[in-house]
């Protein structure tokens, strides 16, 4: 086929009509019109091995997208202050990376909230720091992501990587900062979404590998109880104080997919209005 004939066919049959889903998604992600920013939480024990390679990868694939980073505190203050100085040397003058730092350890809920609050786009793409995107990650997102301002979109059915509309907190509220550490805050948020008649989207992304690193050196100190091998025991305790969970349907209970169970919120446990937007129902 000659070059002139190919050009004529492109005028008659536009690629957008042959691949409408691809082009809608590509335009939604958009190199020309960024609709999302990336948010990542990290801390001293995962910074060199996982976070820095992830950011280098993302900067290659998303040079036009702001990366906002919440650097959690750590129980050893001497080590933490040295670490924060190191982080500042690495990224303090990088125009594509914005740092938020803490000396004392904070809950994951607070860190996620602060990232979402700082995002200036319609959506935040929240990523764990132990993810490894393959070279085709951006292209696969362009093909598969269907922006929906009414719900979150999980990647590979995991809250380790998800899109969240920045205005969703007006309906659901913020992640509950009464969780003191890490774990169960995603189950809590999905349960609150279910109370409002919403379920997360999901998209399968083959070019994103979740390493699921088992934490052995928590920000919160060696005395912290551990639940399910990698989460904060106090978070599980708070979750159980907030929600009643059962395996069979009953009046007043709703199904929550992430829990594979029915739940209802206990009286007086609605989520406070941390920063504005509506509190929990």
């Amino acid at each position: 086929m000659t070059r002139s004939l190919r050009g004529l066919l492109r005028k008659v049959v536009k690629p957008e009509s042959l691949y409408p889903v691809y082009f809608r998604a590509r335009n939604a992600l958009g190199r020309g019109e960024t609709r999302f920013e990336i948010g990542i939480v990290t801390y001293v024990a995962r910074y060199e091995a996982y976070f820095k390679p992830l950011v280098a990868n993302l900067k290659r694939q998303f040079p036009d997208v702001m990366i906002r980073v919440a650097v959690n505190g750590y129980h050893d203050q001497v080590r933490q202050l040295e670490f924060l100085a190191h982080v500042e040397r690495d990224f303090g003058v990088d125009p594509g990376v914005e740092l938020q730092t803490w000396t004392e350890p904070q809950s994951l809920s607070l860190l996620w909230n602060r990232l979402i609050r700082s995002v200036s786009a319609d959506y935040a793409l929240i990523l764990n720091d132990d993810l490894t995107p393959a070279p085709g990650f951006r292209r696969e997102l362009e093909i598969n992501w269907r922006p929906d301002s009414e719900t979150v979109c999980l990647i590979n059915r995991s809250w380790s990587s998800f899109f969240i509309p920045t205005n969703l907190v007006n309906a659901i509220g913020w992640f509950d900062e009464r969780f003191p550490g890490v774990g169960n805050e995603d189950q809590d948020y999905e349960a609150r979404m279910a109370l409002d008649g919403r379920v997360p989207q999901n998209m399968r992304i083959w070019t994103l590998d979740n390493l699921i690193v088992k934490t052995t050196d928590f920000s919160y100190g060696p005395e912290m109880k551990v639940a399910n091998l990698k989460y904060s025991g106090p978070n599980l305790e708070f979750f159980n104080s907030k929600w009643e969970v059962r395996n069979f349907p009953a009046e007043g209970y709703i199904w929550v997919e992430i829990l594979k169970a029915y739940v209802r919120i206990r009286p007086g446990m609605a989520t406070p209005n941390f920063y504005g937007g509506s509190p929990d129902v």
Side-chain angles (χ1 to χ4, degrees):
M1 182 182 294
T2 66
R3 183 176 302 176
S4 59
L5 180 56
R6 284 198 300 269
L8 178 62
L9 287 174
R10 284 184 60 85
K11 292 180 181 178
V12 175
V13 181
K14 295 183 180 298
E16 291 90 334
S17 65
L18 296 176
Y19 309 106
V21 171
Y22 168 76
F23 277 89
R24 282 201 304 271
R26 183 180 182 185
N27 291 337
L29 197 59
R31 290 180 184 271
E33 182 182 351
T34 301
R35 296 189 59 186
F36 75 96
E37 294 175 356
I38 296 171
I40 308 171
V41 174
T42 193
Y43 80 111
V44 60
R46 293 161 66 126
Y47 178 78
E48 291 289 345
Y50 305 105
F51 171 78
K52 287 181 67 175
L54 172 62
V55 170
N57 185 319
L58 294 172
K59 285 172 68 66
R60 287 193 298 271
Q61 298 201 49
F62 299 89
D64 54 332
V65 177
M66 175 63 72
I67 300 173
R68 302 188 185 273
V69 182
V71 183
N72 201 3
Y74 188 66
H75 61 91
D76 183 335
Q77 293 292 282
V78 173
R79 182 181 178 190
Q80 179 68 6
L81 291 174
E82 293 174 350
F83 166 62
L84 291 181
H86 178 59
V87 173
E88 187 66 26
R89 288 192 297 271
D90 284 344
F91 294 105
V93 297
D94 189 329
V97 177
E98 181 186 85
L99 298 173
Q100 302 177 43
T101 63
W102 285 263
T103 55
E104 298 285 346
Q106 307 296 319
S107 71
L108 181 59
S109 289
L110 181 146
L111 299 171
W112 277 354
N113 285 342
R114 296 298 178 89
L115 289 173
I116 294 166
R117 278 170 55 85
S118 69
V119 165
S120 59
D122 297 334
Y123 297 84
L125 173 57
I126 304 297
L127 301 175
N128 272 17
D129 60 358
D130 60 346
L131 299 169
T132 303
F137 176 56
R138 177 166 187 154
R139 178 177 173 83
E140 195 174 6
L141 282 185
E142 290 173 346
I143 294 172
N144 288 283
W145 184 39
R146 308 289 186 271
D148 185 343
S149 63
E150 301 298 319
T151 188
V152 302
C153 179
L154 306 180
I155 296 178
N156 300 334
R157 301 193 183 281
S158 171
W159 286 82
S160 297
S161 48
F162 62 96
F163 283 100
I164 182 168
T166 51
N167 65 357
L168 188 63
V169 296
N170 295 327
I172 306 303
W174 299 93
F175 287 93
D176 194 337
E177 295 182 12
R178 294 175 296 178
F179 285 100
V182 57
N184 304 101
E185 61 287 305
D186 51 355
Q187 297 172 339
D188 173 78
Y189 207 80
E190 191 165 327
R192 290 157 53 199
M193 288 176 56
L195 286 177
D196 199 50
R198 304 168 195 250
V199 295
Q201 289 182 329
N202 177 67
M203 62 176 169
R204 185 70 174 96
I205 298 296
W206 298 96
T207 52
L208 186 65
D209 186 19
N210 186 356
L211 301 179
I212 315 179
V213 174
K214 180 182 175 182
T215 301
T216 57
D217 182 12
F218 284 93
S219 291
Y220 313 101
E223 299 83 12
M224 188 200 71
K225 292 190 296 184
V226 177
N228 299 324
L229 300 180
K230 58 179 181 175
Y231 299 124
S232 306
N235 273 32
L236 179 59
E237 293 171 6
F238 177 73
F239 181 88
N240 290 334
S241 73
K242 182 174 181 178
W243 296 95
E244 298 179 50
V245 182
R246 57 183 299 157
N247 294 325
F248 302 99
E251 184 177 356
Y253 287 76
I254 57 167
W255 174 260
V256 178
E257 180 64 24
I258 192 173
L259 295 166
K260 303 294 184 185
Y262 297 88
V263 305
R264 71 177 179 186
I265 195 165
R266 297 182 189 274
M269 291 303 292
T271 306
N273 190 341
F274 295 104
Y275 305 99
S278 300
D280 192 20
V281 294

